[in-house]
Amino acid sequence: MEHRKLTVVTGHYGSGKTNFSVNLALDIADAGNKCTVIDLDIVNPYFRTADFGDMFKSRGIELFAPVYANTNLDIPSLNIPLESILADGGYVVIDVGGDDEGAKALGRYAPVITAFADKQMLCVINKYRYLTKEPAEAVKVMREIEFSCGLAHTGLVNNSSLGAETTAGTVRASLDFADEVSKLTGLPIAATCAVAGTMPEEAPEPYIVKRYVHNLWE
Amino acid sequence: MAEKSLMKGNEALAEAALRAGCKCFFGYPITPQTEIAAYLSKRMPKVGGVFLQAESEVAAINMVYGCAGSGIRCMTSSSSPGISLKSEGISYIAGADLPCVIIDVMRGGPGLGGIQPSQADYYQITKGVGHGDYHIIVLAPSTVQEMADCVTRAFDLADKYRMPAVVLADGLLGQMMEPVAFDDAEIVMSDASNKPWAANGHGNKRKHNIINSLYLQAPELEQTIRDRYQRYAEIEKNETKAVADYCDDAEIVVVAYGSTARLAKSAVDEARKQGIKAGVVRPVTLYPFPVNELNAAVKNAKKVLVVEMSMGQMIDDVKLAINCSKPVEFFGRTGGVIPAPAEILAKIKEMGGNN
């Protein structure tokens, strides 16, 4: 998994953006780099990167989240100084909210992101999400996100998973899907995510991840 | 069963409604259930259904009242404060003997409360919601798959007994993602066939039907209510469901429903690993309350522990169900705080579940 100074993570609602973003941020930090995570999710009040504040703190990762994230007030307020965070020279991971609605908040930062050179904007895809099971559906969501935020993707993250029920077969069955999305969009597969023991040998750009987003009874 | 998909609880509720032939959805957004409306706004037009975002919860439930009167399967959904607003309409629908499905994805209360999960609507939902002598069917799923299955069941029971049915979930179930499978059957929108009472146009071929909850003569109203209670007796006899785990030799039986039942199960699994004889029983129907199933589950228990995401509401029904034949204790968190399995296990140990 290539590290760029700025990684913007978008995708369909529930595709696993947050879990991917958390893994990436921890990897960047473990490589000895300064890393900042920006939780730009104004759509989802539950299961978000702001849930990982304590873990990030213990690993030296700085977290910026909308004011009131994880409180009882579901009115987001964005006052994140992205330009100065980027100017600091560290690595930045932006976890964007789901679908085109979530990407609207990203649009506010489009001029800053466009002007920044060392970046990647990755679209997380998941074959097992109900409304993006077909490659064409996944591409449609991706285009809607781009239209909404005014930024273009540079790569795909195949994060196809059935949560706790994921097996190597689950991931293997998604490779053709990811390949088709790649062909339809002309975008490279930047990573195929799977937890240890479920990564198929033939997966392009294998990226072993941990499941950080999980249920309390697991 | 078809291939599994990864779905949010709220999305599964919505998709299941379509697949049950729910032709009309009337809603109003509120966290943590807005995904139901968002999902149906995308899906309904594709399958020939109606999605309507009403101007308020009160409007939405009254649209359900009208739609249900025409014999078409319809649904509304909300979260706790919104359900309070709908309560008048629910009473009218019950008073007019109409079937419909209402989803409550509970959040903290009272008042605006908070957006985090809660089970503090138990009294409100299981005791009828609005005014008057009546019951509504209440189903409490605990997995995303079960949320989908409960919606189908709710529509079937609502039609069978001509009354509203509620699927009672909470913010945790609504927001979490799990694999779910639907059968491959084609989606068929409901109509009023097999509903001779429906007010859907008589075409001068039959006597007109009237949808009404007003009875001006007291004896007539009393008789109507008595007839309704005969149906309730049938429901209480035939439609109860509970799931029991490790209860046969359990000394301490935990009673919990919905997402809390999974937390309780997790605590009981750990207790068993530590050699503690604990069991767990999960009411799936909250009305009708599974009285016989509960008595069977606690038969050999020394003590009963009720766990809820509230200050203790279902505990009353548990005590009534077992006629206070065993000591019943309580553990709960409220206001959007979720009880941890470790806390539940500590309570089991405190109650003497030590080996």
Side-chain angles (χ1 to χ4, degrees):
Chain A
M1 179 72 230
E2 191 184 357
H3 295 170
R4 293 282 182 98
K5 280 290 170 68
L6 172 63
T7 302
V8 180
V9 184
T10 78
H12 178 43
Y13 194 53
S15 57
K17 295 175 296 298
T18 295
N19 202 59
F20 172 73
S21 300
V22 172
N23 273 279
L24 181 61
L26 291 171
D27 284 351
I28 291 169
D30 288 349
N33 295 307
K34 179 177 159 40
C35 184
T36 302
V37 172
I38 298 175
D39 175 356
L40 214 56
D41 190 345
I42 59 159
V43 181
N44 183 5
Y46 288 50
F47 303 113
R48 49 188 302 156
T49 44
D51 290 341
F52 303 96
D54 291 342
M55 185 175 70
F56 284 161
K57 209 170 175 181
S58 73
R59 307 278 281 265
I61 297 169
E62 196 169 4
L63 172 71
F64 282 85
V67 183
Y68 310 122
N70 278 359
T71 72
N72 267 334
L73 186 62
D74 47 348
I75 301 167
S77 155
L78 291 172
N79 57 350
I80 295 160
L82 181 62
E83 203 160 9
S84 60
I85 296 169
L86 288 171
D88 261 4
Y91 286 76
V92 177
V93 176
I94 304 182
D95 182 14
V96 183
D99 290 352
D100 47 337
E101 287 93 346
K104 270 181 195 142
L106 181 64
R108 179 214 177 293
Y109 299 102
V112 181
I113 294 169
T114 305
F116 192 79
D118 186 19
K119 62 172 181 276
Q120 54 186 344
M121 179 157 140
L122 305 175
C123 187
V124 178
I125 56 175
N126 184 342
K127 174 188 156 61
Y128 298 99
R129 281 290 288 150
Y130 199 74
L131 297 181
T132 59
K133 295 186 112 173
E134 297 302 323
E137 293 172 318
V139 173
K140 185 166 176 281
V141 170
M142 201 189 95
R143 295 299 182 217
E144 285 167 357
I145 290 168
E146 293 181 340
F147 185 75
S148 174
C149 67
L151 293 162
H153 291 97
T154 62
L156 302 168
V157 173
N158 179 12
N159 191 49
S160 296
S161 132
L162 276 173
E165 291 184 21
T166 309
T167 63
T170 313
V171 183
R172 184 172 296 114
S174 76
L175 298 180
D176 286 348
F177 162 84
D179 192 49
E180 184 62 24
V181 175
S182 173
K183 277 187 188 133
L184 287 170
T185 57
L187 293 175
I189 292 169
T192 303
C193 299
V195 298
T198 65
M199 181 67 76
E201 274 176 27
E202 66 274 33
E205 302 295 329
Y207 182 48
I208 304 284
V209 294
K210 283 187 180 151
R211 271 184 78 219
Y212 291 104
V213 181
H214 57 80
N215 292 312
L216 292 164
W217 46 79
E218 286 175 4
Chain B
M1 283 299 229
E3 188 184 85
K4 283 188 175 180
S5 304
L6 195 59
M7 290 185 100
K8 281 206 163 204
N10 284 336
E11 296 169 337
L13 291 168
E15 180 65 25
L18 282 186
R19 286 168 179 274
C22 172
K23 191 176 181 182
C24 299
F25 175 87
F26 309 98
Y28 188 80
I30 179 171
T31 307
Q33 64 80 52
T34 301
E35 292 84 0
I36 300 173
Y39 187 93
L40 288 173
S41 72
K42 285 184 178 151
R43 286 279 282 150
M44 272 296 195
K46 290 183 184 160
V47 294
V50 172
F51 167 84
L52 197 152
Q53 180 171 324
E55 67 269 36
S56 71
E57 286 89 345
V58 177
I61 192 69
N62 282 289
M63 290 172 186
V64 167
Y65 183 15
C67 185
S70 76
I72 285 169
R73 282 191 166 184
C74 57
M75 183 171 96
T76 186
S77 68
S78 195
S79 178
S80 312
I83 296 292
S84 293
L85 286 164
K86 290 181 194 292
S87 59
E88 180 195 54
I90 296 171
S91 171
Y92 276 64
I93 295 169
D97 294 312
L98 295 177
C100 69
V101 170
I102 299 149
I103 289 171
D104 180 7
V105 183
M106 292 182 278
R107 61 186 250 180
L112 267 181
I115 62 171
Q116 299 296 327
S118 161
Q119 292 181 322
D121 297 1
Y122 182 90
Y123 283 149
Q124 181 190 31
I125 294 292
T126 62
K127 307 308 170 198
V129 187
H131 61 280
D133 268 331
Y134 73 97
H135 288 293
I136 52 181
I137 292 162
V138 185
L139 307 179
S142 76
T143 67
V144 174
Q145 181 69 56
E146 207 183 2
M147 288 168 96
D149 300 341
C150 271
V151 169
T152 315
R153 179 120 185 93
F155 273 110
D156 290 346
L157 289 173
D159 276 353
K160 184 174 174 189
Y161 295 104
R162 282 183 65 183
M163 60 194 282
V166 172
V167 177
L168 188 65
D170 62 66
L172 190 54
L173 289 171
Q175 295 292 330
M176 69 184 215
M177 295 191 26
E178 277 185 329
V180 56
F182 294 97
D183 63 36
D184 292 322
E186 198 186 332
I187 295 173
V188 180
M189 288 293 152
S190 62
D191 57 25
S193 48
N194 304 321
K195 291 178 181 169
W197 47 263
N200 60 340
H202 52 73
N204 290 322
K205 289 194 176 110
R206 59 163 168 80
K207 202 169 157 282
H208 66 278
N209 290 328
I210 297 173
I211 303 299
N212 175 45
S213 69
L214 175 66
Y215 295 84
L216 294 174
Q217 302 301 326
E220 195 193 346
L221 178 55
E222 187 191 41
Q223 193 52 52
T224 306
I225 293 168
R226 284 191 184 282
D227 291 348
R228 217 169 267 147
Y229 270 71
Q230 280 188 355
R231 259 186 290 150
Y232 298 157
E234 232 181 287
I235 293 170
E236 286 165 22
K237 204 174 111 201
N238 298 326
E239 308 294 353
T240 57
K241 187 178 176 187
V243 178
D245 280 302
Y246 316 114
C247 286
D248 292 347
D249 67 338
E251 289 172 1
I252 293 175
V253 168
V254 184
V255 189
Y257 71 96
S259 59
T260 306
R262 295 179 78 170
L263 299 161
K265 171 77 167 35
S266 189
V268 166
D269 283 339
E270 183 56 32
R272 284 277 165 177
K273 272 185 212 157
Q274 297 181 19
I276 300 165
K277 285 188 175 168
V280 59
V281 58
R282 172 171 76 87
V284 179
T285 53
L286 298 182
Y287 180 80
F289 199 70
V291 174
N292 293 337
E293 292 86 342
L294 212 67
N295 276 292
V298 305
K299 206 172 81 180
N300 298 318
K302 288 182 184 146
K303 285 181 181 175
V304 176
L305 169 64
V306 178
V307 182
E308 299 177 61
M309 270 195 287
S310 73
M311 291 303 286
Q313 300 191 11
M314 183 179 69
I315 187 173
D316 294 357
D317 282 339
V318 172
K319 284 179 180 172
L320 281 172
I322 65 168
N323 212 6
C324 292
S325 57
K326 318 264 170 168
V328 180
E329 296 193 26
F330 179 75
F331 179 76
R333 300 297 302 264
T334 195
V337 180
I338 300 163
E343 291 176 317
I344 301 168
L345 181 60
K347 178 68 186 177
I348 292 171
K349 287 181 174 172
E350 181 200 306
M351 286 169 66
N354 277 314
N355 246 15

